[in-house]
Each structure stands twice: as C-alpha cells, then as structure tokens.
Amino acid sequence: MLRSPICEILGIEKPVFQGGMAWIADASLAAAVSEAGGLGIIAAMNANADWLREQIHELRTKTTKPFGVNVMLMSPFADEVARVVVEEKVPVVVTGAGNPTKYMKDWVAAGIKVIPVCASVGLARMVERAGACAVVAEGGESGGHVGEATTMALVPQVVDAVKIPVIAAGGIADGRGVAAAFMLGAQGVQVGTRFLVATECTVSEEYKERVLKAKDISTIVTGRSTGHAVRCLKTPFTNAFARRENEGAPVEELEQMGAGALRKAAKDGNYEEGSFMCGQIAGLVHERQSAAEIVNDLVDGAEQLLKGAAAWVA
Ligand code: TUI
C-alpha cells in the first residue's frame, strides 16, 4: 500500500489529490475521488458563495469521506468563499494563484487543514510559518496558472525548505510520475489533467476529446506579459492571444481577451473561443476511466515501481 503521513493527517487512504480545476472540479468529480480514497477537491474558482455552498452540500450527499475546497485567490469572490469554508466546516482548504496568508489565521483557528499551492520556495516557507499543514509544490508543466520552475527542480527544493509534507504537482498522470514524485521527497501528488477525462468529470465533451487527442507539444503558455501565465492546449484562441501578446498588446486588452475563455471551453466546448487549460502530460492521457480507476492506477503503478526500484542498485 502506498501511504505517507499526509494520509494520517487528512484521514485519506491514498496520497492522491485531485487538482482544483476552475470551472471543472465540481461535487461530481470531487465526491468520486474522495470516495475512491483520494482527496477530492471542489474548485470554488470564480463562483460565488451560494454556488460553493450548494456544491459542498451535494458532495456530502455522495460521500462522507474527507474532501477539500480550492480557493482561487484571484477570484473576486475570494473573501466570501473564505467565509463559506469556515461556516461549512470544510475539512481541507487548498489555495491557488496567490498568497493565502491573510485568510489562514481564521481557517487554522476553525480547525481547517490548509494546504496552499506554491510555485516557489519563498511562498512555501511563508505559508508554513502561517500554519499550513502541508504544501503543494506545483511545477510549470501543470495546466492553468503556472509559475516558472519545473516540478523536477521545484519539489526537492521545497522539500528541503519546509518541515511540513510536500505534495508534488505538474506533469504527473501515471504511476511513474507518482513514484518519481516520492523519490523527489514528496509525500503525495496532485493530479489535474488525467481527471479531466474521468467519467464523473462534468467538463464538456469537446474538452475531453481535445485532451485525449493531445500530444507532448500540444500545450502553450500565454499571458507571461500580464503576470498571469496560463498553460492551455494550442487552439485558435491561444494563437490569437499569443499573436497579440507578441505584438505588445496592452495588459488590459489581453485580460479582456482572456475573460470568460475558460468557461467557454469547460461549459460550452467552444473550440474557437475557449481556453482549454491542461498540463503538458496530456499526451499521456488516452483513456476515459472512472475516478476510482484513475486513483487506483496511479497508486498501484507507483507501488510496483517503488517495490522494484532496488533492482537498479548493484
Ligand atoms: O492556481 C493555479 N492554477 C490555476 S488558477 C486558474 S483560474 C485562472 N484563470 C485565468 C487566469 C489565471 C487563473 C487556473 N489554474 N495553480 C496554483 C498556482 N499558484 N500556480 C501559480 C501560483 C502562484 C503564483 C503566484 C501562487 C502564488 C503567487 O504569488 C504569491 C504572492 O506572493 O503573491
């Protein structure tokens, strides 16, 4: 069995977190991952408090196991969502796209386990001091909003910098990635892209098909000039965005172009205008499976590899 202290800390059976994918990770996917023994995560994303409350209630009709809520710190609703997680006694809060320390005192006081996603050693150190119980070290192979460092470089540096458990994210979609993450010192993984094609994932069919067809070089990072670098599948939208960015378009114009594009991909399956966020590992994702099959394949694959690892040493 692949287990680590993070399983005890959170009361989960398998050290697999499902990425809090904005506009995508709802109660349906999160409940299925938690029920399979991992940590399912509802993405609060840009939705308001009422939507999040409904999703939490729906999840609780489907599973009694621990789950998390991802608070996207750039959301205009971050303050109200930060209150809902306390009122609803959410067991775990994962944060993304910013510095969560201003909320952490209240969350920790409410008994919430706080696990910020960090793209740098500096933020990981800061959130440890503020009471985080673990951090997700997310490399730039990930889909969505990304930092500069790769998973291979970032994870061991964060592991050395903090005493709390580190969960690796970015470029992990099978047992090989999970085993590699453990070898880098991680105690668990967060996986987004592979769960996009899970049966219980309610993202548009077009999105799933595009991920299944993706290859190793199918993604691109745009938006570095705006300070919000985002990795997505190369599409007519990203081509147009990258062209205007290279032409030196002002930040306001680029942000205007990006507004609503993820929703168009996730909900409407609009290939022309949508932003199909996904990680570089999409080229490895070929099969639709249930969330439980995905969780079990990640863990079983890693167990086999880690058991056999001694064969490399003469
Ligand atoms: O947050 C993510 N991934 C995301 S958020 C998202 S929604 C979105 N939509 C359009 C534009 C931008 C976002 C889609 N994917 N991952 C965690 C993550 N956090 N990646 C990078 C960071 C990060 C970046 C800067 C965390 C902190 C930070 O600065 C900290 C500071 O000190 O302010």
Side-chain angles (χ1 to χ4, degrees):
M1 235 180 14
L2 185 71
R3 283 186 74 86
S4 72
I6 195 68
C7 296
E8 266 62 55
I9 293 169
L10 302 182
I12 58 177
E13 295 140 47
K14 294 165 185 170
V16 174
F17 292 18
Q18 161 246 313
M21 300 171 284
W23 286 107
I24 296 169
D26 59 11
S28 168
L29 180 60
V33 173
S34 285
E35 202 44 32
L39 186 74
I41 295 175
I42 296 171
M45 52 156 187
N46 287 316
N48 63 22
D50 292 341
W51 181 89
L52 178 60
R53 226 184 270 282
E54 272 170 36
Q55 292 295 312
I56 293 169
H57 293 173
E58 189 184 328
L59 177 139
R60 284 183 160 139
T61 66
K62 295 181 162 149
T63 184
T64 55
K65 295 190 179 178
F67 68 97
V69 166
N70 182 295
V71 178
M72 210 276 278
L73 297 163
M74 281 177 354
S75 163
F77 301 106
D79 284 351
E80 59 183 86
V81 155
R83 283 192 295 274
V84 171
V85 295
V86 173
E87 288 161 13
E88 293 293 331
K89 299 187 170 46
V90 167
V92 182
V93 165
V94 178
T95 64
N99 182 339
T101 48
K102 73 168 175 170
Y103 300 116
M104 285 181 62
K105 200 161 159 256
D106 286 349
W107 289 341
V108 172
I112 295 175
K113 301 205 167 68
V114 185
I115 310 185
V117 178
C118 301
S120 67
V121 166
L123 185 62
R125 281 209 175 101
M126 201 183 297
V127 298
E128 178 180 44
R129 280 197 301 273
C133 79
V135 288
V136 177
E138 185 185 277
E141 296 94 322
S142 302
H145 183 38
V146 288
E148 287 291 335
T150 61
T151 304
M152 181 76 119
L154 182 66
V155 172
Q157 294 187 68
V158 174
V159 167
D160 285 353
V162 298
K163 293 194 180 69
I164 50 180
V166 175
I167 310 304
I172 302 169
D174 68 8
R176 291 172 294 183
V178 178
F182 274 72
M183 290 294 97
L184 294 175
Q187 292 198 12
V189 295
Q190 178 169 282
V191 171
T193 300
R194 188 159 172 196
F195 284 115
L196 283 170
V197 300
T199 329
E200 298 89 344
C201 179
T202 58
V203 77
S204 64
E205 271 302 303
E206 179 75 15
Y207 209 126
K208 290 188 176 183
E209 280 301 313
R210 295 282 167 187
V211 169
L212 289 165
K213 285 190 190 129
K215 299 190 175 65
D216 55 343
I217 54 170
S218 294
T219 69
I220 183 176
V221 175
T222 58
R224 287 203 198 277
S225 66
T226 69
H228 300 143
V230 169
R231 182 179 297 286
C232 311
L233 289 176
K234 292 175 190 164
T235 62
F237 167 75
T238 58
N239 291 343
F241 191 103
R243 194 176 326 113
R244 287 301 293 140
E245 192 170 21
N246 290 336
E247 287 165 3
V251 170
E252 303 76 53
E253 180 193 324
L254 293 170
E255 297 209 319
Q256 188 63 37
M257 275 181 93
L262 175 58
R263 190 191 52 73
K264 284 182 190 164
K267 298 287 172 209
D268 310 337
N270 182 338
Y271 182 64
E272 296 299 320
E273 296 170 30
S275 170
F276 291 71
M277 294 185 186
C278 82
Q280 283 185 316
I281 204 70
L284 208 75
V285 176
H286 305 301
E287 203 184 346
R288 294 168 188 258
Q289 289 172 304
S290 69
E293 285 171 324
I294 294 172
V295 169
N296 290 332
D297 180 67
L298 288 161
V299 169
D300 296 348
E303 280 172 11
Q304 294 305 316
L305 287 167
L306 292 168
K307 274 187 203 155
W312 288 104
V313 186

